[in-house]
Amino acid sequence: MVQKVCFVTIGATAAFDQLLKAVLTSQFLQALQALGYTSLRLQYGKNGQKIVDESRIVDDLGQVTKYGIKVSGFDFDTKGLGQEMWVTKAAEERAEGVVISHAGSGSILDALRIRVPLIVVPNTSLLHNHQVELAEELSKQGYLVRGQLDDLPKALRESEVHRKKLQAWPPNNRGADPSGRGLAGVMDEEMGFYD
């Protein structure tokens, strides 16, 4: 059987339990099933195991599955998330999946380098939040799908369309950027550097 993996990262520095709860809903798991996914892999942070346990996705046999989706996870990996993200890349016996991430720049860059569909969900509860602007700009430039906590199945369906027109990363600095700014311009603006 061909595997198709959805990998979710909520980040390491700021808890984003709302994203974890959103991907454990029946609505989201059914959307995964409808799109042919077989596995949901979670980087869930320090409180995540409790949230997974409370989501009641463990079946009568003790298997962590629901709607045919095998759910597994871990709190943190000191080696980074690159290997976990690579599992979403198409290979023998594996169809291309998706990465769903908080809008931290490190996680976004890791997924863009691997060149798999990426859904970014900003954590709007953060103080001095840069995540919304970064997610919106990279979505506008065609690098990712910006997801909303209250409708992740929609973002998942959009990512299936988006995979056919993925932009290469790093961006071509010599070509025409529709916004005229590129990622460097967005980051300069966020840091307060102006020409």
Side-chain angles (χ1 to χ4, degrees):
M1 180 173 140
V2 175
Q3 289 187 326
K4 188 173 181 182
V5 178
C6 173
F7 174 66
V8 179
T9 174
I10 66 166
T13 53
F16 194 9
D17 295 342
Q18 300 93 329
L19 178 56
L20 184 56
K21 290 174 183 175
V23 300
L24 292 170
T25 63
S26 292
Q27 181 186 23
F28 183 76
L29 293 169
Q30 287 172 332
L32 285 175
Q33 179 191 42
L35 293 169
Y37 283 84
T38 58
S39 300
L40 175 61
R41 182 85 169 134
L42 308 168
Q43 179 271 312
Y44 50 62
K46 65 180 181 177
N47 299 323
Q49 184 64 55
K50 182 179 178 193
I51 293 169
V52 172
D53 293 344
E54 290 172 352
S55 70
R56 297 190 176 95
I57 58 173
V58 179
D59 67 17
D60 295 335
L61 301 174
Q63 299 293 314
V64 185
T65 59
K66 192 150 190 175
Y67 304 107
I69 306 296
K70 180 182 180 223
V71 181
S72 61
F74 60 97
D75 57 358
F76 182 71
D77 188 338
T78 57
K79 294 177 271 178
L81 300 176
Q83 278 189 282
E84 296 291 340
M85 289 183 183
W86 269 101
V87 175
T88 65
K89 192 82 174 155
E92 188 179 320
E93 302 297 320
R94 194 170 62 226
E96 187 171 72
V98 68
V99 172
I100 300 176
S101 177
H102 66 111
S105 57
S107 295
I108 289 173
L109 289 172
D110 284 346
L112 290 175
R113 287 181 188 119
I114 293 169
R115 198 161 183 222
V116 294
L118 173 61
I119 299 170
V120 170
V121 183
N123 184 347
T124 57
S125 68
L126 296 177
L127 188 61
H128 304 297
N129 193 351
H130 67 283
Q131 291 194 358
V132 173
E133 293 87 359
L134 183 59
E136 287 176 354
E137 185 62 34
L138 289 174
S139 176
K140 193 184 322 176
Q141 292 184 26
Y143 291 105
L144 53 85
V145 172
R146 186 199 189 285
Q148 303 282 341
L149 283 173
D150 60 352
D151 198 0
L152 282 178
K154 177 184 175 195
L156 192 60
R157 290 186 298 274
E158 287 176 15
S159 76
E160 291 297 310
V161 173
H162 187 257
R163 83 174 59 251
K164 296 177 182 115
K165 53 183 179 177
L166 280 174
Q167 296 279 0
W169 188 265
N172 179 355
N173 291 328
R174 296 176 304 253
D177 173 8
S179 72
R181 299 179 346 193
L183 180 60
V186 172
M187 296 303 287
D188 284 347
E189 184 178 313
E190 285 299 312
M191 298 298 295
F193 303 128
Y194 299 99
D195 290 332

